[in-house]
Amino acid sequence: MRVRNVMVGALVLAAGAVASIGLGAGQAAAGAPFVQLDQGRVGMQLSHDETASLADGPVPAVVSMFVPLSRMGAGLQPDTTIYRDDSGGVHASLRQVMAEAADHPDGTVTIYVNLPGTKGGRVLDIYQRWNR
């Protein structure tokens, strides 16, 4: 029973976090939250405009106040300019990962909030995507 309550609470918290990220992207946010129960996370795919707006606003700094960089993961594009160490560790802020995607004409990000105890202790994952 306790585990179920924790899971439900974590999902509600994660959904709220993803929704607040989407609201931070502006009034016309097209990104809709989605749930991946099998992977223990909720996420949101942002459009290019939402990605750029979010990267330019206060949300990345506010999120970083509550989630340390050591609890964030980043899926970077192969042609990224962000530094990765020999073990694959990303050395960039949440804002830098978003801003790099926003600098590409079709760049977007997908943001995931992970349930506690999943994904190696990461709370937040962000994936970049662009073609050009």
Side-chain angles (χ1 to χ4, degrees), residues 30-101:
F34 55 88
V35 178
Q36 294 179 333
L37 285 179
D38 61 323
Q39 301 216 11
R41 63 187 183 180
V42 295
M44 179 177 283
Q45 169 70 45
L46 301 180
S47 70
H48 173 73
D49 290 339
E50 292 164 343
T51 299
S53 177
L54 195 60
D56 288 341
V59 173
V62 172
V63 169
S64 297
M65 290 170 54
F66 295 98
V67 180
L69 289 177
S70 63
R71 296 290 180 210
M72 294 184 200
L76 303 177
Q77 286 287 103
D79 58 338
T80 185
T81 60
I82 292 175
Y83 174 70
R84 278 185 274 203
D85 62 27
D86 293 335
S87 61
V90 174
H91 297 273
S93 69
L94 183 59
R95 182 180 311 281
Q96 289 170 311
V97 174
M98 290 179 174
E100 183 180 44

Side-chain angles (χ1 to χ4, degrees), residues 7 10-11 14 34-43 112-119 122-123 125:
M7 291 286 288
L11 272 176
F34 55 88
V35 178
Q36 294 179 333
L37 285 179
D38 61 323
Q39 301 216 11
R41 63 187 183 180
V42 295
Y112 294 98
V113 178
N114 304 312
L115 288 174
T118 63
K119 307 295 180 192
R122 293 189 318 272
V123 174
D125 287 326

Side-chain angles (χ1 to χ4, degrees), residues 8-23:
V8 170
L11 272 176
V12 169
L13 177 64
V18 170
S20 69
I21 288 169
L23 291 175

